[in-house]
Amino acid sequence: MNNDWSKLKRSSNGIPTYDSLIPYILEVIKNGEEATNVVIKKRVCEYLNVPQHILEKKYPNYPDSESILHNRFSFAFSDLSKANAIDRVRRGVYKINSNGEFLLDKYGDQLTKKVLEERPEYMQYMNELKLRNERTGGATIESVEDNDKPKIEIGSLVQTINNEVAIELLDIVRGSDPIFFEKLVVDLLVAMGYSGENGEAKVTNQSNDGGIDGIINQDPLGTSTVYIQAKRYKEDNVVGRSAIQAFYGALAGVNADRGVFITTSRYTKNAKEFAKNQGIVLIDGIQLTDLMLKYRVGVEVAHQYTVFKIDGDYFEE
């Protein structure tokens, strides 16, 4: 492994590009320990003997922000995560996994963004992001280095950032405990207002749920009730017609005509057609996390910005 920062690919301002940092992140955590992003950045800079003037250089228009080099690490972390080369143990803490060990062993300091982009995990991530952007109007852009400013609508860019958060959120939900997932979907429907002003929401008893995972009584007397089934599945475990038919049978068993089926994966065409004919609402993984963001279940606001426009009425007066 090269340990001379000056041999790395650099942008016009002399700062190493973010993709040149990719193999070194894996190198400094290859022992398998968990480390914060701050510690990892420090180790990489020490490993490469990056001089102080490079560490301190900032964008001229943003003198109060973090240095250019430290900012570029975030893009490298992001690409490694997309390729499933590192695990995000918790906020700001990372650990190399078996995929990362394989890539580091095979490519060493020749590990590039192009190699990561060819990984099936990376391609799956980008396909899901594309699908989300098509549904919501987001726009995909490449990372910006130096002072390049992409000509892109701010709203579309914000939507893309939120879509990336939603992808990470869905991955966390898929890895959660099944009982917790059932509670999550009930909490979401309550946040959406399904329980009404004086209604009641609960997760059913696991040992005798009869195919019903959650119940929301929309009024104190229970005259209007929503029944829920929640399936925490991996992406490739697609929900078929038989599962929806079984849920329909469970609804018939309690004389119900309102059901919501929620999964972290997706549905077959036949499942969608059957559900539509029986009045069952289907929510897939993408819709689930979009709703979690909209109703702020499991997420919090990171930043808010205000954009102004001219008040024409004021000047006409």
Side-chain angles (χ1 to χ4, degrees), residues 7-181:
K7 294 181 179 179
L8 299 183
K9 176 184 175 183
R10 287 182 279 171
S11 53
S12 59
N13 57 12
I15 307 297
T17 59
Y18 88 86
D19 54 313
S20 70
L21 302 170
I22 288 173
Y24 299 99
I25 291 176
L26 296 180
E27 174 67 20
V28 301
I29 58 173
K30 66 181 181 181
N31 60 3
E33 69 174 318
E34 298 176 5
T36 65
N37 54 8
V38 174
V39 169
I40 294 173
K41 291 178 185 178
K42 184 174 184 294
R43 288 180 182 175
V44 170
C45 291
E46 290 176 349
Y47 184 90
L48 292 169
N49 298 299
V50 182
Q52 196 63 29
H53 74 279
I54 294 296
L55 292 174
E56 295 176 351
K57 193 165 186 177
K58 298 184 178 183
Y59 291 110
N61 295 334
Y62 305 96
D64 297 326
S65 64
E66 64 180 345
S67 71
I68 297 174
L69 183 60
H70 282 130
N71 176 261
R72 289 183 177 177
F73 269 99
S74 62
F75 296 111
F77 279 118
S78 177
D79 275 356
L80 285 166
S81 294
K82 292 173 185 175
N84 192 30
I86 56 175
D87 294 330
R88 184 175 182 248
V89 182
R90 53 188 176 277
R91 185 175 182 179
V93 179
Y94 298 91
K95 181 180 180 181
I96 194 171
N97 57 31
S98 58
N99 286 331
E101 292 170 350
F102 167 78
L103 290 170
L104 182 62
D105 182 62
K106 182 175 181 179
Y107 296 98
D109 56 16
Q110 299 304 304
L111 179 61
T112 62
K113 175 180 173 65
K114 183 178 180 181
V115 172
L116 296 183
E117 289 175 336
E118 293 173 349
R119 298 290 296 175
E121 298 89 346
Y122 194 102
M123 290 188 285
Q124 180 180 325
Y125 178 97
M126 296 308 296
N127 286 336
E128 182 174 338
L129 181 60
K130 180 182 178 181
L131 178 58
R132 287 178 181 271
N133 285 339
E134 288 174 350
R135 287 192 184 186
T136 61
T140 303
I141 65 168
E142 296 297 323
S143 60
V144 181
E145 295 183 340
D146 294 332
N147 294 314
D148 299 329
K149 290 183 173 59
K151 294 181 179 179
I152 197 165
E153 185 182 350
I154 293 176
S156 296
L157 178 56
V158 170
Q159 185 62 61
T160 297
I161 293 172
N162 286 337
N163 285 341
E164 291 178 341
V165 172
I167 292 174
E168 183 179 353
L169 179 62
L170 184 55
D171 187 56
I172 294 173
V173 172
R174 282 177 177 152
S176 66
D177 180 84
I179 298 176
F180 174 81
F181 178 59

Side-chain angles (χ1 to χ4, degrees), residues 245-270:
Q245 286 178 317
F247 182 47
Y248 177 71
L251 294 175
V254 291
N255 296 316
D257 60 356
R258 305 183 69 190
V260 179
F261 196 113
I262 302 177
T263 184
T264 52
S265 62
R266 47 200 171 86
Y267 301 94
T268 64
K269 182 179 179 180
N270 287 338

Side-chain angles (χ1 to χ4, degrees), residues 230-286:
K231 294 298 183 185
R232 184 187 54 86
Y233 287 159
K234 296 294 185 181
E235 166 66 18
D236 57 354
N237 192 352
V238 183
V239 179
R241 179 187 175 111
S242 60
I244 308 304
Q245 286 178 317
F247 182 47
Y248 177 71
L251 294 175
V254 291
N255 296 316
D257 60 356
R258 305 183 69 190
V260 179
F261 196 113
I262 302 177
T263 184
T264 52
S265 62
R266 47 200 171 86
Y267 301 94
T268 64
K269 182 179 179 180
N270 287 338
K272 293 177 181 178
E273 290 175 350
F274 181 82
K276 182 178 180 181
N277 293 333
Q278 305 305 330
I280 297 174
V281 175
L282 300 184
I283 297 177
D284 63 17
I286 291 180

